Amino acid sequence: MPPMSKAYNPADHENRIWQKWTEADAFAADPGRVLDGDARPYCVLIPPPNVTAALHLGHALNGTIQDILVRAHRMMGYETLWMPGTDHAGIATQTMVDKRLQEQGKPGIADYKRKELDGGNGRDEFLAIVQEFKDDFEQRITNQFQKMGCSCDWKRQRFTMDDICARAVREAFFQLFKDGLIYRGKRLVNWDPVTQTALADDEVEMEEVNGHFYYLRYPLVKEIEGDPTIPVTWGELAARGYPDAENHPDDEQAWITVATTRPETYMGDTGVAVNPKDPRAGAVRGMHVMLPIVGRVIPIIEDDYVVLPVKYGGEEGDAKAEMSTGFLKVTPAHDPNDYMIGQRHDLEMINIMAPDASISDQHGWDREERGEDGHIFLGKSREEARKLVVKEFDARTVAEGSEGSLLEKMVPHRHSVGHSYRSHVPVEPYLSDQWYCKVTDDKLRGNAQRALLPEQRTEQSIKDWPESRPKMHTAGSNDGTMTFYPSRYAKTYEIWHDNLRDWCISRQLWWGHRIPVWNGSVIGPTEKVDRFESTMAAWWRQGKLTTQLTIDSSDPNPPLTNSGEPLIGQEIAVCVRDQDPEIIAFLEEYGFTQDPDVLDTWFSSALWPLSTMGWPDASAAKDSSNIADFESLLPAFNPTSVLCTAREIITLWVSRMTMFNRYFLGDEDHAGKAPFKDVFIHAMIQDGEGRKMSKTLGNGVDPLDIIDSHGSDAMRFTLCQMTTQTQDVRMPVELDESTGKNTSPKFDLGRNLCNKLWNASKFALGMFEKAELKAGIPISPEELSLVDRWMLSRVTEATNKVNTALRNYMFKDYADAIYDLFWRDFCDWYLESIKPTIADSPTQAAVLRNVIDAILRLIHPVMPFITETLFERFESLPIREIEGFNFETTQSSATLCQSGWPTPDDELRDEVAVEAYERVRSLVTAIREVRATNQVKPKRQITLHVNGPLEDDIARWSPLVETLAGVDTITADDPEGASSSFMFEGEEYQLSNLADALDAGAERDRLEKELASIEKNIKGIQGRLSNPGYVDKAPEHLVQQTRDQLAQLEKDHAATKAALDKLG
RNA sequence: GGGCGAGUAGCUCAGUUGGCUAGAGCGUUCGCCUUACACGCGAAAUGUCGUGGGUUCGAGUCCCUCCUCGCCUACCA
């Protein structure tokens, strides 16, 4: 092997080491060993990154965390699977590709849509382009993960739209459809008018905007003799007891005022609601209002949803009560709350917008037929329409000749409005046909909630919703097994389920899993209908399809029925289980067409724990992947060990995966196992100012840039070290002038550690050239020197610390534990201590060999490349065992990555050695301090004068003290000539020969400072001891400890005083 | 509005059931190319633990008030 370079250069090693792991097939998981009981399973599913973009630092953190866990458990002897993959990210990818095409001056999706409408093949052509884009990014992402050293089982890599995942989506949809948990409905959805698709609630971002409250007057009318437009006068209202009506001219037409932030929707109003408790409600009961300009007459209804204005009993301080007029315009087709009111009162739903959110009479508002006016608004955008409505209202009065405008007033108002996370325009509540998954069903929501560890449930939630209590005492129950780390996130998860609504799963996109439903109706000659019914029934019995109409299975020749209603002419939705060409051809022959929509991306993401493991048909998965053991994956590795993800994902993804895993792996109760035992939520990385890293801010850091400049291990260590239990961590971002790329000084920490590791190893190898290293009978720790026993003890303690940290997902603790062990203990003290002795001590050489081996193993999970590189250099050196200093047995030790984890016996913890060596360290530190304050040249060897209690100890410690403190003579004699004194364990000792002439002034300054510090401490401790409460109530050992401390300090004080006096 | 989190050294963060003189890394200052490492070694300085109360012998830690910031969630009357 070539000599080691002066500094560690990661680029020289990382690619070669990756190659080595690949050739050793070191990351391959063997489910067979789990099923045979030869090894315990450890499995992690990667949260599949979107194929929309290259990985960012958050992914690097996520990947580092998982790789640390996976590598550590692999070394601990678990059969370990880390499943890699990517996500197709429907809307993001589709819009990204469209944007790119347009930037390149090529036809965009609008052009392909036109082509498709014209009978061409626009959809498939566009999808081919997206596919290419996806292949490109999937490759880039894979490469990035591999550069980071992620030890995934790469041959098992999945993509949420590949054949195997598609089969899972198809089957899941079929089963949920069959079980009535997927339904279609005309509902208000979050509509993105730019991308023209529905969005799920979680795809909507709230943003504060400056808006107004507009107070609009609607004239009151009543019906007389078939004419519903007869004006109601104030006089009439006054007669019916309407408050304040008498303040208006008796014979003028009366009005009510509604408040709204969205006047442009008024054309879609189909009612005005008032609270029945409102004193005005009785007076207007049965009356109507006429919408200005459009002329529609709509009823006044009573609903206690309406908030009373403060004036009529509404709560002061309630924003709604303060702003409200008590009359609420109801626009069921354009507001979710109005939609519910509309349903309760059977109001019309009039959609006044086109899919691009412009005002239109072609999508539900049949203006002409109803004889409604309002053509002036047609074709206007939402924003234009708002202005126009306000302008028109402002220009008109309630009735000809009456005072005041229809626009009563405008009040500025700042409020949050939902925006599309993709196009960033305000989301429009829009009435359309969509598919829903009934996640609020107890079989889904309830099981997700019951999956949580009982200790992590809150009493309130269980009280509010008793069925969600985990059934822990029922035999075979899979409830209560999932644990969140940190535990506070369990609450977020719980609350999410408490407030869940049905999940809109259809998207008006092309890139995604097409909904496997064919729609149509059957009409025509009896034999045609009969043939349809019998054929469908046969397939239905074979489980190849299901329909939204039911089939009577008791009938030998069952027709499709819907509660006894005849089939003919009815709209039927047929869900075809597999992509069965025969069935599809048959349906198409009857004029059925496949639903054009695709499923929400999360539908396939939710199946990730199942689809990646071959569900529902592992043998088919085996055939299409050439992975021979596909059929063993699910039984061996589901439930997986832990899911590591960022908190923005908790609510939707963890929940949905839990629902689906339990649903599809359960028996009739659909309460199978949760997909993970643990869920670890890690921090999000922000820049130095606490902002999210983003492309638009230009504050993102590219992991590949850091790998180039600092190395993969350096990046990983730094990220690991930053991973505390808080929700955000900050990473100051700087522009590297030389490369023009963003970086952060934080990564120097990792780079420096790598370099230190490299050099310490180089040094150790140099020592092994001098010292004799050979195998032999195991060494008993008792034969070892103080410093060796101390080092072994420290490794043992550090190993325990590391194990505890990893078990609790405390990644910073892990980083700190290995950092302190390696740098502070091993480099600063152990290596320095053994310099004079190791060449002549084969046992010490053996200890060094063992210790460095253990350190490399403990560090490997976080810094795999450099540790593997160094392992190669140590590997061939003989190792002599130390009793109790053991390692886990693994299947192979061809690479460090596959080798065993340190399992040092607790016996190696040597309190005597630790205590003694700590005393040596304090003594050395005390001497060093004197040297530094007296500016003793580093090379100068000085004389230590020891008489008194330390004499016996110093005889044993002398080689250590001499080498560590730069002392060449230790004597019991008093110093001749100038000397400097220091305190150790309450006694005063002298150092001499510090310089050719000692500066008495500097010495006095130093001692005076020391004295002041001791006095301050004595005062504090005396204060505590003179407090009777403390002495009486505090635990005995603490009080004793404090007394000892005081005694020690008083000794120090006296010694320092004496030294000062001596100086004169 | 509701929930969660954060506020500790110039910066980034630890500080687990209350109990040594509140720690680490970076940065700063001083001295050093001391048989691996200047990406290093030795030493030093730096804190009203956001505010104000309370519980306690004792509070960075527990309780309450308020302030600042971040995130989630709800709200377009």
Side-chain angles (χ1 to χ4, degrees):
Chain A
M1 252 185 249
M4 290 174 76
S5 57
K6 189 168 164 61
Y8 174 62
N9 181 14
D12 294 346
H13 311 282
E14 291 184 355
N15 287 338
R16 185 178 57 77
I17 293 295
W18 181 263
Q19 204 62 39
K20 183 174 181 168
W21 289 328
T22 308
E23 279 159 21
D25 208 9
F27 311 145
D30 180 359
R33 293 190 68 230
V34 175
L35 296 183
D36 294 344
D38 295 335
R40 286 173 299 171
Y42 191 81
C43 179
V44 175
L45 299 167
I46 208 164
N50 292 350
V51 286
T52 332
L55 303 183
H56 52 68
L57 210 53
H59 292 112
L61 172 64
N62 184 253
T64 297
I65 285 168
Q66 291 169 82
D67 202 39
I68 289 169
L69 293 171
V70 161
R71 284 181 184 269
H73 282 87
R74 190 180 289 120
M75 294 175 80
M76 290 170 186
Y78 289 82
E79 191 60 39
T80 303
L81 167 62
W82 185 9
M83 178 73 76
T86 52
D87 188 291
H88 67 275
I91 187 169
T93 310
Q94 176 163 322
T95 48
M96 181 77 73
V97 170
D98 182 42
K99 210 170 122 196
R100 273 192 156 198
L101 289 171
Q102 289 180 35
E103 279 165 6
Q104 294 167 353
K106 294 179 184 165
I109 191 161
D111 301 287
Y112 289 97
K113 277 184 177 165
R114 214 168 299 124
K115 195 166 182 182
E116 182 78 12
L117 277 176
D118 294 344
N121 216 5
R123 184 168 186 152
D124 291 341
E125 285 172 25
F126 182 77
L127 286 178
I129 298 169
V130 183
Q131 190 72 36
E132 252 176 67
F133 176 91
K134 167 254 157 185
D135 289 342
D136 180 27
F137 269 95
E138 186 179 47
Q139 189 49 52
R140 286 169 67 173
I141 289 166
T142 305
N143 180 52
Q144 279 183 302
F145 274 130
Q146 297 186 347
K147 285 264 178 198
M148 289 178 213
C150 293
S151 65
C152 303
D153 192 348
W154 288 103
K155 68 173 184 299
R156 300 190 195 270
Q157 182 169 10
R158 295 263 67 81
F159 171 58
T160 50
M161 254 170 74
D162 68 22
D163 290 349
I164 291 169
C165 292
R167 203 174 290 124
V169 167
R170 194 73 178 250
E171 176 67 14
F173 189 95
F174 176 82
Q175 287 194 24
L176 292 169
F177 188 96
K178 184 165 65 80
D179 298 346
L181 294 173
I182 283 180
Y183 61 91
R184 185 163 49 179
K186 214 174 194 46
R187 294 293 184 88
L188 276 192
V189 293
N190 306 304
W191 184 260
D192 179 343
V194 173
T195 57
Q196 302 206 1
T197 179
L199 299 174
D201 292 343
D202 51 75
E203 293 171 321
V204 176
E205 291 168 350
M206 295 317 244
E207 280 175 42
E208 289 253 305
V209 296
N210 290 315
H212 291 89
F213 270 117
Y214 302 89
Y215 291 81
L216 307 180
R217 289 178 176 171
Y218 288 174
L220 277 169
V221 293
K222 61 181 177 186
E223 185 174 336
I224 295 179
E225 291 170 3
D227 182 354
T229 65
I230 309 299
V232 175
T233 62
W234 288 112
E236 261 182 277
L237 281 189
R240 297 178 65 158
Y242 190 98
D244 296 331
E246 64 278 6
N247 296 336
H248 297 273
D250 270 4
D251 52 352
E252 281 195 7
Q253 183 170 7
W255 70 81
I256 51 96
T257 305
V258 295
T260 179
T261 59
R262 300 199 59 202
E264 70 276 16
T265 63
Y266 97 97
M267 290 89 81
D269 287 4
T270 55
V272 167
V274 64
N275 192 305
K277 291 197 208 79
D278 193 302
R280 298 165 298 179
V284 295
R285 191 165 293 144
M287 290 182 177
H288 290 68
V289 299
M290 178 148 63
L291 291 178
I293 307 166
V294 300
R296 185 183 313 140
V297 173
I298 57 177
I300 294 174
I301 54 158
E302 289 171 47
D303 194 299
D304 56 15
Y305 173 80
V306 180
V307 174
L308 285 170
V310 174
K311 189 178 171 188
Y312 296 120
E315 232 177 283
E316 236 169 290
D318 177 350
K320 278 185 181 171
E322 308 241 341
M323 304 308 282
S324 160
T325 65
F327 290 104
L328 174 65
K329 73 192 265 301
V330 183
T331 326
H334 293 279
D335 181 285
N337 297 316
D338 292 5
Y339 179 85
M340 290 185 295
I341 297 174
Q343 288 204 312
R344 279 199 290 275
H345 297 273
D346 212 15
L347 297 180
E348 270 189 276
M349 298 195 199
I350 299 179
N351 176 25
I352 56 159
M353 287 185 192
D356 67 356
S358 66
I359 306 299
S360 165
D361 58 0
Q362 303 296 308
H363 295 85
W365 179 24
D366 199 341
R367 198 179 51 82
E368 298 284 341
E369 193 200 22
R370 302 167 57 114
E372 290 177 8
D373 211 338
H375 59 272
I376 51 170
F377 301 118
L378 294 182
K380 299 276 188 271
S381 72
R382 292 181 286 181
E383 296 76 14
E384 292 164 344
R386 175 175 304 179
K387 282 188 197 139
L388 190 57
V389 168
V390 172
K391 188 176 150 217
E392 293 294 332
F393 269 64
D394 195 29
R396 288 159 203 258
T397 54
V398 172
E400 216 166 308
S402 59
E403 304 248 327
S405 148
L406 283 177
L407 179 67
E408 190 171 293
K409 59 177 174 172
M410 275 169 65
V411 181
H413 175 57
R414 196 167 163 75
H415 61 136
S416 298
V417 174
H419 287 66
S420 163
Y421 85 116
R422 193 41 49 190
S423 66
H424 305 292
V425 299
V427 160
E428 188 64 39
Y430 193 70
L431 196 62
S432 63
D433 266 321
Q434 302 291 343
W435 290 95
Y436 288 85
C437 180
K438 205 174 167 187
V439 286
T440 48
D441 190 285
D442 185 67
K443 289 193 284 297
L444 295 170
R445 170 165 65 170
N447 280 333
Q449 194 76 299
R450 286 186 290 269
L452 203 54
L453 189 75
E455 289 85 335
Q456 294 198 335
R457 291 298 305 277
T458 59
E459 281 171 34
Q460 192 57 47
S461 171
I462 291 183
K463 215 175 111 196
D464 292 347
W465 181 14
E467 311 90 277
S468 75
R469 181 191 297 280
K471 302 184 185 80
M472 300 299 289
H473 304 296
T474 310
S477 165
N478 293 312
D479 287 354
T481 59
M482 196 163 79
T483 311
F484 274 90
Y485 293 84
S487 59
R488 65 175 183 274
Y489 290 115
K491 201 169 168 183
T492 315
Y493 178 88
E494 194 177 54
I495 291 172
W496 159 263
H497 289 102
D498 288 347
N499 300 323
L500 201 58
R501 291 191 290 175
D502 280 358
W503 171 23
C504 174
I505 53 172
S506 46
R507 294 290 179 279
Q508 290 65 48
L509 302 171
W510 281 349
W511 177 244
H513 293 278
R514 187 115 175 230
I515 290 176
V517 169
W518 276 256
N519 300 299
S521 56
V522 183
I523 198 154
T526 315
E527 59 269 33
K528 190 182 167 193
V529 175
D530 285 351
R531 177 171 157 253
F532 182 81
E533 284 192 341
S534 59
T535 313
M536 293 296 281
W539 280 328
W540 177 84
R541 274 192 299 259
Q542 292 163 27
K544 289 181 172 177
L545 54 78
T546 188
T547 82
Q548 222 168 41
L549 294 172
T550 53
I551 295 179
D552 182 357
S553 54
S554 61
D555 189 330
N557 191 20
L560 294 169
T561 63
N562 186 16
S563 320
E565 291 298 310
L567 157 73
I568 294 166
Q570 254 190 324
E571 187 72 21
I572 306 171
V574 181
C575 178
V576 182
R577 191 172 203 161
D578 298 309
Q579 191 69 23
D580 190 328
E582 192 193 356
I583 299 176
I584 293 166
F586 179 81
L587 286 167
E588 282 172 355
E589 181 196 326
Y590 275 84
F592 279 61
T593 53
Q594 185 170 8
D595 196 297
D597 290 353
V598 299
L599 287 166
D600 179 9
T601 308
W602 288 107
F603 193 89
S604 54
S605 314
L607 291 162
W608 195 238
L610 295 166
S611 58
T612 53
M613 300 210 186
W615 183 87
D617 186 347
S619 87
K622 180 178 77 176
D623 294 342
S624 51
S625 67
N626 290 320
I627 295 173
D629 55 13
F630 226 125
E631 283 155 292
S632 308
L633 279 185
L634 196 66
F637 290 117
N638 185 308
T640 65
S641 309
V642 59
L643 178 81
C644 301
T645 184
R647 69 175 184 286
E648 53 184 356
I649 304 296
I650 312 171
T651 41
L652 44 138
W653 196 40
V654 177
S655 161
R656 289 171 190 168
M657 284 193 284
T658 306
M659 289 178 183
F660 279 7
N661 209 77
R662 298 202 70 184
Y663 190 84
F664 294 113
L665 296 186
D667 306 322
E668 285 99 72
D669 59 352
H670 293 292
K673 290 191 163 127
F676 335 98
K677 297 186 187 94
D678 293 346
V679 178
F680 172 63
I681 306 293
H682 63 249
M684 311 244 288
I685 302 180
Q686 304 174 330
D687 72 2
E689 275 86 58
R691 300 172 306 185
K692 262 187 182 175
M693 287 189 173
S694 76
K695 259 184 206 155
T696 40
L697 284 173
N699 59 353
V701 174
D702 185 339
L704 287 186
D705 291 341
I706 304 303
I707 292 172
D708 281 346
S709 58
H710 289 71
S712 186
D713 293 322
M715 178 179 75
R716 294 167 57 117
F717 182 82
T718 301
L719 292 172
C720 174
Q721 192 271 154
M722 289 172 70
T723 299
T724 58
Q725 306 289 308
T726 53
Q727 64 175 9
D728 298 311
V729 289
R730 288 186 182 192
M731 158 95 55
V733 176
E734 287 176 5
L735 188 69
D736 182 340
E737 299 287 350
S738 61
T739 58
K741 286 168 176 167
N742 278 344
T743 183
S744 173
K746 293 212 95 177
F747 292 111
D748 293 350
L749 171 70
R751 184 195 53 188
N752 297 351
L753 178 60
C754 287
N755 194 54
K756 188 77 177 174
L757 189 55
W758 179 258
N759 277 290
S761 301
K762 185 163 79 177
F763 184 57
L765 286 165
M767 288 186 172
F768 291 143
E769 279 168 22
K770 295 178 200 156
E772 202 183 357
L773 209 53
K774 61 181 181 195
I777 54 156
I779 299 168
S780 161
E782 284 153 31
E783 322 165 10
L784 295 172
S785 74
L786 169 64
V787 67
D788 290 318
R789 282 184 288 137
W790 171 76
M791 191 68 229
L792 292 175
S793 188
R794 288 294 304 121
V795 173
T796 306
E797 281 167 21
T799 305
N800 291 338
K801 223 183 223 175
V802 165
N803 289 339
T804 305
L806 292 178
R807 196 164 44 244
N808 293 299
Y809 307 101
M810 311 272 268
F811 290 92
K812 188 195 167 57
D813 287 6
Y814 164 56
D816 286 349
I818 56 179
Y819 187 94
D820 288 344
L821 172 70
F822 166 68
W823 200 314
R824 302 275 86 95
D825 296 332
F826 180 73
C827 291
D828 289 353
W829 291 97
Y830 184 70
L831 286 184
E832 293 302 327
S833 295
I834 64 174
K835 274 179 180 176
T837 49
I838 187 163
D840 302 318
S841 169
T843 45
Q844 189 156 61
V847 172
L848 175 61
R849 173 77 182 85
N850 273 279
V851 166
I852 207 159
D853 191 57
I855 288 176
L856 288 179
R857 289 170 199 246
L858 289 172
I859 297 180
H860 177 79
V862 64
M863 302 207 299
F865 290 104
I866 187 172
T867 48
E868 191 75 70
T869 305
L870 294 170
F871 183 73
E872 287 178 335
R873 292 191 177 258
F874 287 102
E875 205 178 9
S876 59
L877 301 174
I879 193 158
R880 189 172 161 200
E881 223 177 286
I882 299 167
E883 285 173 12
F885 204 70
N886 304 319
F887 299 94
E888 187 68 50
T889 313
T890 51
Q891 288 226 292
S892 163
S893 49
T895 62
L896 175 60
C897 149
Q898 295 158 288
S899 302
W901 190 249
T903 53
D905 200 304
D906 232 31
E907 298 283 299
L908 287 169
R909 285 173 45 173
D910 187 335
E911 275 169 38
V912 176
V914 169
E915 202 203 319
Y917 194 73
E918 286 309 320
R919 294 179 65 208
V920 174
R921 293 217 288 187
S922 328
L923 178 61
V924 168
T925 303
I927 299 172
R928 282 174 175 173
E929 192 186 330
V930 174
R931 291 184 64 119
T933 45
N934 285 296
Q935 312 258 336
V936 177
K937 295 279 172 227
K939 276 189 176 164
R940 189 177 184 104
Q941 297 292 307
I942 59 174
T943 303
L944 169 62
H945 302 268
V946 173
N947 39 34
L950 207 54
E951 265 181 285
D952 292 343
D953 293 322
I954 209 78
R956 282 179 283 119
W957 299 350
S958 59
L960 288 174
V961 174
E962 284 165 6
T963 183
L964 294 169
V967 170
D968 63 352
T969 311
I970 300 179
T971 170
D973 299 340
D974 285 338
E976 294 170 22
S979 72
S980 177
S981 53
F982 67 96
M983 259 47 63
F984 181 70
E985 295 178 345
E987 300 293 330
E988 182 197 0
Y989 301 96
Q990 271 76 40
L991 291 165
S992 69
N993 196 25
L994 301 182
D996 297 328
L998 194 66
D999 181 347
E1003 174 72 358
R1004 184 177 297 109
D1005 287 351
R1006 187 178 68 79
L1007 289 171
E1008 274 168 358
K1009 228 167 146 190
E1010 173 93 22
L1011 200 62
S1013 157
I1014 293 171
E1015 279 168 359
K1016 185 183 154 212
N1017 289 335
I1018 286 179
K1019 222 173 152 190
I1021 287 181
Q1022 278 175 338
R1024 203 181 317 158
L1025 283 172
S1026 61
N1027 178 347
Y1030 177 69
V1031 181
D1032 293 347
K1033 294 188 184 173
E1036 183 59 35
H1037 74 276
L1038 276 175
V1039 177
Q1040 189 53 48
Q1041 202 175 308
T1042 311
R1043 288 196 174 114
D1044 293 347
Q1045 225 163 42
L1046 182 62
Q1048 179 82 35
L1049 281 167
E1050 276 167 347
K1051 274 186 175 178
D1052 282 354
H1053 187 262
T1056 310
K1057 202 91 202 305
L1060 261 174
D1061 290 347
K1062 215 181 292 172
L1063 272 177

